Amino acid sequence: MPDQRHPEKAHRPDQEQPKKPSWIRVKAPTSEGYKQTRDLLRENRLSTVCEEAGCPNVGECWSQGHATMMIMGEICTRGCTFCNVATGKPNALDVFEPGRVAHAVHKLGLKHVVITSVDRDDLDDGGAEHFAQTIRAIRHRSPSSTIEVLTPDFLKSKPGALETVVEARPDVFNHNLETVPGLYPEVRPGARYFHSLRLLQKVKELDPAMFTKSGIMVGLGEDRQSVLQVMDDMRAADVDFITIGQYLQPTPKHHRVASFVTPEEFASYEKAAYGKGFLMVSATPLTRSSYHAGDDFAALREARLKKLGRA
């Protein structure tokens, strides 16, 4: 129930959930590959953002043996109005989790793995060292796999948290801005837009060769000009890769869907983003941060080489 999983949303009035248009519907997962991935994750007691956030692409991704591991538990210390991850007081960190993640990556034979987490404002470093340990464990077990991290903002962490993650050398550092700055008070009240933007910029200052990535949702009530401004802000922070996807309302207690953005509008955003200099753009209704992440990483690396004249 929403009031148990999201106690901070229990007092909110129900928001009508509009019928999804034809371009947003996906088939229920039934394949053997899906079941094998699910069973392996259960066996290793691992959480995924695919399940916790109710991703619409879970059937397709798990069928191909792709999953985004969510470390540091299933309970978040924030209460963003768009997110389906449970809010509350998290449990202590599991010191064996990095090893279990590395084992699952090896067993699934992942060439590219995405590691994300809940926000852990209860920890001094926001979980940065746990991220670093997980990256190192994967490198040790699967040295040829490329690693992408999708991190929280470390807003309340002690100095040095970001450096800890960057020094562990993930191949891609992703931190989502999620929405336009004008909607932060109602959509992402525990975060600060310019702090998140600065975080991405600082990654490039610490390691100019590291790929950076960020994403936003549309359909929350933003207008086109504000989306284009976010693109400009990201490019000013030297972000390489932008993802843009349709916001889908998890429950009636979550932020309402203000609009369903058409595939044609997404194509227009993609064209605009490439025009602003992004190396890679994924802008479709079903785009999510980790959707097709492996293929996109290969294209991202190719795009940089081409830009440098080495392809």
Side-chain angles (χ1 to χ4, degrees), residues 25-144:
R25 294 173 196 161
V26 293
K27 293 178 181 177
T30 57
S31 76
E32 196 56 41
Y34 169 86
K35 293 170 186 171
Q36 288 173 359
T37 301
R38 179 196 62 194
D39 292 347
L40 180 67
L41 294 166
R42 298 275 189 279
E43 181 187 321
N44 286 279
R45 304 193 311 282
L46 296 174
S47 300
T48 67
V49 74
C50 323
E51 286 184 294
E52 296 301 320
C55 180
N57 304 315
V58 64
E60 179 186 345
C61 294
W62 284 23
S63 294
Q64 299 168 3
H66 299 162
T68 296
M69 315 287 181
M70 191 171 81
I71 60 175
M72 298 194 282
E74 301 171 1
I75 302 172
C76 187
T77 53
R78 305 270 177 97
C80 299
T81 62
F82 66 86
C83 185
N84 198 37
V85 174
T87 301
K89 185 178 179 181
N91 297 318
L93 290 180
D94 178 355
V95 297
F96 299 107
E97 184 177 53
R100 291 203 311 276
V101 170
H103 174 73
V105 169
H106 179 74
K107 194 95 175 184
L108 285 166
L110 297 181
K111 293 178 182 176
H112 185 80
V113 58
V114 184
I115 306 297
T116 190
S117 78
V118 290
D119 269 287
R120 292 297 302 257
D121 292 328
D122 59 310
L123 302 173
D124 283 347
D125 70 347
E129 180 57 33
H130 201 77
F131 259 106
Q133 288 174 5
T134 304
I135 293 167
R136 289 193 289 265
I138 295 168
R139 288 267 186 251
H140 178 72
R141 194 76 192 271
S142 305
S144 64

Side-chain angles (χ1 to χ4, degrees), residues 66-260:
H66 299 162
T68 296
M69 315 287 181
M70 191 171 81
I71 60 175
M72 298 194 282
E74 301 171 1
I75 302 172
C76 187
T77 53
R78 305 270 177 97
C80 299
T81 62
F82 66 86
C83 185
N84 198 37
V85 174
T87 301
K89 185 178 179 181
N91 297 318
L93 290 180
D94 178 355
V95 297
F96 299 107
E97 184 177 53
R100 291 203 311 276
V101 170
H103 174 73
V105 169
H106 179 74
K107 194 95 175 184
L108 285 166
L110 297 181
K111 293 178 182 176
H112 185 80
V113 58
V114 184
I115 306 297
T116 190
S117 78
V118 290
D119 269 287
R120 292 297 302 257
D121 292 328
D122 59 310
L123 302 173
D124 283 347
D125 70 347
E129 180 57 33
H130 201 77
F131 259 106
Q133 288 174 5
T134 304
I135 293 167
R136 289 193 289 265
I138 295 168
R139 288 267 186 251
H140 178 72
R141 194 76 192 271
S142 305
S144 64
S145 296
T146 49
I147 302 171
E148 179 173 327
V149 292
L150 171 55
T151 75
D153 58 13
F154 303 116
L155 179 64
K156 300 177 182 179
S157 306
K158 64 183 181 182
L162 177 64
E163 287 83 351
T164 296
V165 179
V166 174
E167 283 166 11
R169 300 298 304 275
D171 297 280
V172 182
F173 187 102
N174 184 358
H175 173 65
N176 287 332
L177 294 183
E178 305 291 11
T179 187
V180 302
L183 290 176
Y184 261 56
E186 58 183 283
V187 173
R188 205 177 173 221
R192 301 291 178 268
Y193 177 80
F194 287 103
H195 171 85
S196 286
L197 199 60
R198 175 65 185 135
L199 188 85
L200 289 159
Q201 185 180 39
K202 194 172 180 185
V203 171
K204 269 295 202 296
E205 292 171 2
L206 292 167
D207 187 346
M210 189 170 290
F211 288 106
T212 51
K213 177 177 175 181
S214 188
I216 61 168
M217 299 166 288
V218 290
L220 284 159
E222 72 294 324
D223 59 31
R224 179 178 172 80
Q225 188 53 48
S226 61
V227 173
L228 296 177
Q229 182 60 57
V230 169
M231 291 182 192
D232 287 336
D233 292 344
M234 286 188 189
R235 286 303 300 134
D238 206 13
V239 172
D240 299 301
F241 185 174
I242 184 173
T243 60
I244 307 174
Q246 171 70 49
Y247 166 64
L248 297 175
Q249 185 181 349
T251 76
K253 294 294 184 185
H254 284 77
H255 195 287
R256 69 185 181 88
V257 175
S259 64
F260 285 109

